């Protein structure tokens, strides 16, 4: 890791959080570079495929704080740290501390492949292990101890699985049975991250969302889950920085 600080690709907002346990939350985003996965359907592949390498800024926690202030901390007291996989970045602990001093709450999502001690300081932490459609393979020897540490520490966290098909739903059943005490969110996946027509994409996502709702409602395995759309994709399509 570069000694200069945190690798940042985007800082934007205020906007709304479109996914997971804080869906609809007014928030600002800090998107970091780098990921240890390469999901086939990733809607932020520029964070790890090298295509935006020239856009990476190595920033200190104070520099990020200043940019967030310029964007909208006067009207927003919530920040989402996104990626890529922000769990690769140990230095985020300093940013979390700086923002908490300001009374700013923090949400973060990671696939659960790497532990950081600062997980315990995140206000809303989402673990999103990747289903078979991603072509990634879950390392349960990494995810199990992360869930255990968070549970023992009585940390507020949730699990989210993105669903594209019945095979992904079977994977979500495995996750739910493995961690029955953790709130589970099932979120419909975006099949076409290159579609530029928002109306076309919205119709596709609507159809997939209806399918997911109907399938989950009929299932005896998912008695207590939340079924979500990818809200930001409905509103803005595949546009970045919103």
């Amino acid at each position: 890791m570069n000694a200069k600080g945190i690798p940042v690709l985007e800082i934007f907002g205020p906007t709304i959080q479109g996914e997971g346990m804080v869906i609809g939350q007014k928030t600002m985003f800090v998107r970091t570079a780098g990921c240890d996965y390469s999901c086939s359907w990733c809607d932020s592949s520029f964070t790890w495929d090298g295509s935006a390498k020239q856009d990476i800024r190595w920033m200190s926690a104070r520099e990020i704080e200043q940019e967030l202030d310029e964007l909208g901390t006067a009207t927003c007291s919530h920040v989402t740290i996104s990626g890529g996989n922000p769990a690769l970045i140990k230095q985020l602990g300093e940013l979390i501390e700086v923002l908490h001093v300001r009374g700013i709450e923090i949400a973060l999502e990671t696939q659960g492949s790497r532990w950081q001690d600062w997980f315990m300081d995140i206000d809303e932490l989402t673990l999103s292990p990747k289903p078979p459609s991603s072509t990634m393979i879950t390392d349960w020897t990494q995810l199990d101890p992360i869930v255990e540490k968070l549970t023992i520490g009585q940390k507020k966290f949730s699990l989210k699985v993105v669903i594209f098909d019945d095979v992904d739903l079977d994977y979500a059943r495995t996750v739910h049975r493995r961690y029955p005490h953790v709130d589970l969110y099932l979120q419909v996946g975006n099949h076409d991250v290159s579609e530029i027509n928002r109306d076309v994409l919205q119709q596709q996502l609507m159809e997939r969302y209806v399918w997911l709702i109907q399938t989950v409602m009929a299932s005896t395995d998912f008695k207590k889950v939340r079924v979500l759309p990818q809200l930001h994709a409905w509103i803005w399509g595949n546009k970045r920085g919103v």
Side-chain angles (χ1 to χ4, degrees):
M1 180 60 66
N2 193 305
K4 292 182 180 179
I6 298 166
V8 176
L9 272 170
E10 295 181 310
I11 300 178
F12 62 91
T15 183
I16 60 165
Q17 172 58 257
E19 302 185 355
M21 66 190 294
V22 288
I23 190 169
Q25 171 71 51
K26 183 179 181 181
T27 190
M28 292 184 287
F29 276 83
V30 176
R31 187 183 299 281
T32 60
C35 193
D36 48 336
Y37 278 19
S38 54
C39 296
S40 61
W41 37 251
C42 180
D43 60 3
S44 304
S45 58
F46 61 91
T47 62
W48 50 263
D49 66 7
S51 62
K53 183 169 57 176
Q54 71 282 355
D55 298 326
I56 297 173
R57 292 181 291 161
W58 291 90
M59 303 177 71
S60 70
R62 293 297 181 186
E63 288 171 337
I64 295 172
E65 177 192 25
Q66 181 179 353
E67 191 158 325
L68 289 168
D69 283 342
E70 293 169 357
L71 281 171
T73 51
T75 61
C76 186
S77 60
H78 190 278
V79 169
T80 299
I81 301 175
S82 185
N85 183 10
L88 300 177
I89 306 169
K90 186 176 182 179
Q91 301 94 303
L92 280 175
E94 183 181 353
L95 176 62
I96 293 163
E97 182 178 351
V98 165
L99 295 179
H100 275 164
V101 168
R102 297 280 301 278
I104 296 172
E105 293 188 348
I106 301 166
L108 184 141
E109 180 177 311
T110 176
Q111 57 261 45
S113 60
R114 185 77 61 90
W115 169 264
Q116 292 288 355
D117 289 341
W118 48 252
F119 279 6
M120 302 305 293
D121 299 319
I122 297 296
D123 299 289
E124 292 126 354
L125 178 66
T126 298
L127 302 180
S128 184
K130 306 308 177 187
S133 62
S134 71
T135 70
M136 299 294 102
I137 298 175
T138 300
D139 185 346
W140 302 106
T141 66
Q142 293 290 332
L143 186 56
D144 284 350
I146 290 174
V147 171
E148 183 178 11
K149 287 178 183 178
L150 294 170
T151 301
I152 292 173
Q154 298 183 333
K155 185 62 194 169
K156 180 181 179 181
F157 74 106
S158 67
L159 287 158
K160 186 191 82 177
V161 180
V162 178
I163 304 297
F164 285 85
D165 52 34
D166 287 318
V167 177
D168 287 351
L169 264 176
D170 285 339
Y171 172 85
R173 288 184 180 92
T174 298
V175 171
H176 197 34
R177 290 166 182 161
R178 199 175 188 101
Y179 315 115
H181 63 290
V182 184
D183 288 344
L184 176 64
Y185 294 74
L186 303 179
Q187 181 176 295
V188 67
N190 180 358
H191 282 75
D192 192 353
V193 296
S194 62
E195 174 60 63
I196 60 174
N197 187 314
R198 186 194 64 176
D199 294 335
V200 171
L201 180 64
Q202 188 180 70
Q203 182 62 37
Q204 293 173 353
L205 292 173
M206 176 79 76
E207 292 171 359
R208 300 306 298 168
Y209 188 40
V210 170
W211 165 80
L212 182 58
I213 290 172
Q214 291 175 340
T215 304
V216 170
M217 292 309 108
S219 172
T220 59
D221 296 313
F222 298 114
K223 293 181 179 179
K224 188 181 178 183
V225 299
R226 294 173 174 85
V227 185
L228 302 180
Q230 197 178 41
L231 187 58
H232 60 282
W234 280 35
I235 299 171
W236 292 292
N238 287 315
K239 184 179 179 180
R240 276 179 56 179
V242 292

